[in-house]
Amino acid sequence: MFALIDCSNFYASCERVFQPNLKHKPIIVLSNNDGCVIARSDEAKALGIDMGIPLFKVRDIVAFHNVHVCSSNFALYCDMSRRVMDIIHSNISDVEQYSVDEAFVEFPPHFSLEHTLEWARDMRAKILQWTGIPTRIGIGSTKTLAKLGNALAKKSPKGIYYVSPNDNHLFSDLPAKAVWGLGRQSEKRLKGYGIHTVGQLLSRHREWIRKVLTVQGERMYQELKGIVCYPLSEGADEDQKSIMVTRSFGSDIYNIETLKESLIHHANTAGSKLRKRGLWTYTVGVYIRSSPHKSGYYSNFANIELPSPTQDTRALIATATQALQGIYKPGIGYKKSGIMLGHLTNSPNVKQLDLLAEDTSTHESSFPPFNQSTQLMKSIDAINKRYGHHSVTVGAISKTSTPWQSHKNHSSPSYTTRWTDLQKV
Ligand SMILES: [Mg+2]
């Protein structure tokens, strides 16, 4: 059994934790340089303020309804995210952080449904009490069902929703597009065959689904039927809004060069993920922090907008390095670093209009766009696919054991839990 734990209106909720007077008040959080709305409290949603809309377009609503406006504070959000994730990790061993505010967990086989629901109630209460962040939890026998449950939990007063693979009554009313990983193209194709609901989708044969929606669609179909196709840390991330690559270090790092090396490593991973999904990003965020268990805790986040969307690892590295220089403080033992590609788009040409609406000069990347890079990146991906991750990387990374690597040098392959580690016969 799986659960998806998702923080409700995460950025707005983080702001509320430290400003309790904002309880029940409409809140919006703005992108870099206060350009457009990137998060809303329920009250702000009820006023009809859309996601991504430029601030100037809703100025009247904001003034009239006294909407509280916050600039984004990613250092706060990343730290609150860490606290929430720490609580989850300390209560169950199998956790996959899916985004800054979402995590999948897998329950041990001996957990009954009742036990699982009780765990979820307890987890919500604990996260709320210890961090002040409200959450929703979806539960199901696969990640796809848990994700669906999470969306349905929005309307449940208890904030928890279990989806059974046999709930035909529920599926007959549910639009197909509610399913995790079912993109707009697939939805359109299904509509062409008169399939609008999950129930209609499930009434088809598996072979038919594979023909129409390829293997990816077949997996989704199986998952809806309660058959696990996505183990923890694999999944249909077609609708994922951001790519995060983070890592805790084996030992503390005291110099910027080694920290930079860890970011080069992350940028290579993030870049290949981006290209694998056919996406481009136009922001690169860097996160660094010391150990929260030692005195003088330091954590910071810097986000940089690119002049145009990119999927080139060299641009990611250059921008991440620039971001790091802005937040690095000497004399601190760093324990973790991360990269977040926060605004993804499926076209290299279009930068979302709402971001152009405001002057972005203060945080803009100082690097020119990298041209003619598609072929180079393709070659790198092809080599890495054939010879294993990080066989070829952009930028200099030591191949021998480095302090920023986690203590994982002695682990055997995950024979039973990872497709790529399966024994070959
Ligand atoms: Mg959320």
Side-chain angles (χ1 to χ4, degrees):
M1 197 72 92
F2 294 85
L4 177 66
I5 304 163
D6 176 24
C7 300
S8 315
N9 310 324
F10 183 56
Y11 296 168
S13 298
C14 288
E15 297 290 345
R16 209 172 248 166
V17 169
F18 296 94
Q19 299 177 72
N21 57 314
L22 296 178
K23 209 170 176 186
H24 306 305
K25 296 224 173 92
I27 306 173
I28 53 174
V29 179
L30 304 175
S31 60
N32 271 343
N33 304 305
D34 295 346
C36 52
V37 177
I38 54 167
R40 306 154 298 157
S41 70
D42 282 334
E43 296 79 4
K45 287 177 190 171
L47 293 174
I49 299 176
D50 289 333
M51 191 69 169
I53 197 165
L55 178 62
F56 73 84
K57 284 197 179 168
V58 289
R59 283 235 188 258
D60 289 348
I61 305 179
V62 167
F64 188 78
H65 295 278
N66 208 4
V67 176
H68 186 85
V69 180
C70 305
S71 297
S72 44
N73 178 354
F74 288 110
L76 169 70
Y77 310 149
C78 283
D79 195 51
M80 292 306 287
S81 163
R82 178 190 62 78
R83 293 181 195 196
V84 171
M85 296 304 158
D86 280 355
I87 296 172
I88 299 170
H89 275 284
S90 62
N91 279 273
I92 194 158
S93 58
D94 291 328
V95 183
E96 172 200 341
Q97 184 171 350
Y98 179 62
S99 72
V100 70
D101 71 329
E102 283 172 276
F104 282 105
V105 302
E106 186 174 5
F107 298 99
H110 65 267
F111 264 46
S112 63
L113 176 60
E114 214 156 276
H115 196 166
T116 304
L117 289 167
E118 193 187 307
W119 185 95
R121 276 193 293 273
D122 186 55
M123 185 53 37
R124 285 192 79 225
K126 211 178 259 181
I127 293 172
L128 186 64
Q129 197 186 348
W130 293 7
T131 67
I133 302 286
T135 53
R136 289 186 301 265
I137 302 184
I139 297 170
S141 49
T142 63
K143 283 165 83 174
T144 302
L145 290 170
K147 182 89 179 163
L148 201 55
N150 196 278
L152 295 164
K154 272 183 203 180
K155 285 168 202 150
S156 150
K158 288 181 181 156
I160 296 172
Y161 201 103
Y162 163 68
V163 181
S164 154
N166 307 313
D167 196 341
N168 296 331
H169 187 71
L170 169 75
F171 292 150
S172 66
D173 285 339
L174 215 54
K177 67 173 180 205
V179 177
W180 185 40
L182 193 103
R184 219 169 281 174
Q185 286 304 321
S186 305
E187 188 202 348
K188 231 167 125 185
R189 206 165 308 152
L190 286 174
K191 273 190 178 159
Y193 291 100
I195 293 179
H196 299 271
T197 69
V198 179
Q200 289 167 331
L201 179 76
L202 290 176
S203 69
R204 293 300 181 120
H205 280 292
R206 182 177 156 186
E207 289 73 26
W208 186 85
I209 296 286
R210 181 172 40 198
K211 237 187 321 187
V212 174
L213 299 181
T214 73
V215 179
Q216 191 76 8
E218 186 189 8
R219 289 205 190 112
M220 175 199 76
Y221 173 87
Q222 293 283 78
E223 283 248 319
L224 284 170
K225 298 221 165 207
I227 299 157
V228 175
C229 297
Y230 301 129
L232 225 54
S233 88
E234 264 185 53
D237 43 16
E238 209 172 313
D239 67 345
Q240 203 176 326
K241 288 163 285 192
S242 58
I243 289 177
M244 288 221 313
V245 182
T246 65
R247 184 178 265 194
S248 294
F249 309 134
S251 52
D252 288 359
I253 288 177
Y254 285 90
N255 68 80
I256 193 167
E257 280 312 312
T258 317
L259 214 48
K260 188 181 153 191
E261 201 175 296
S262 76
L263 290 176
I264 293 175
H265 186 274
H266 298 336
N268 273 280
T269 308
S272 73
K273 279 190 183 188
L274 201 57
R275 294 188 294 273
K276 199 170 158 195
R277 287 166 50 190
L279 296 173
W280 284 257
T281 183
Y282 49 92
T283 65
V284 177
V286 164
Y287 171 63
I288 49 172
R289 71 162 169 84
S290 63
S291 165
H293 308 296
K294 291 182 184 164
S295 68
Y297 174 59
Y298 176 71
S299 127
N300 211 340
F301 179 90
N303 203 35
I304 291 184
E305 271 177 37
L306 299 157
S308 60
T310 190
Q311 55 174 201
D312 188 314
T313 302
R314 291 170 300 171
L316 303 183
I317 292 174
T319 316
T321 306
Q322 188 194 341
L324 174 66
Q325 273 150 1
I327 54 175
Y328 176 79
K329 273 197 202 167
I332 291 170
Y334 291 94
K335 189 67 188 159
K336 190 171 187 175
S337 73
I339 276 189
M340 185 165 95
L341 310 181
H343 291 85
L344 307 182
T345 158
N346 46 22
S347 157
N349 304 316
V350 208
K351 198 167 169 175
Q352 270 182 14
L353 280 173
D354 47 25
L355 286 175
L356 289 173
E358 294 271 320
D359 173 28
T360 57
S361 53
T362 48
H363 286 279
E364 196 141 290
S365 165
S366 54
F367 292 89
F370 291 82
N371 294 323
Q372 312 290 335
S373 63
T374 324
Q375 197 49 49
L376 173 64
M377 292 300 131
K378 262 190 191 158
S379 310
I380 288 174
D381 291 340
I383 293 169
N384 284 331
K385 193 173 176 188
R386 183 151 178 199
Y387 297 102
H389 284 313
H390 294 275
S391 297
V392 181
T393 56
V394 181
I397 308 178
S398 165
K399 283 284 169 197
T400 53
S401 174
T402 47
W404 52 267
Q405 282 177 333
S406 330
H407 290 307
K408 268 195 171 176
N409 303 327
H410 302 290
S411 57
S412 56
S414 311
Y415 295 118
T416 57
T417 52
R418 186 177 295 173
W419 292 115
T420 52
D421 288 359
L422 278 178
Q423 286 281 43
K424 290 187 186 77
V425 180

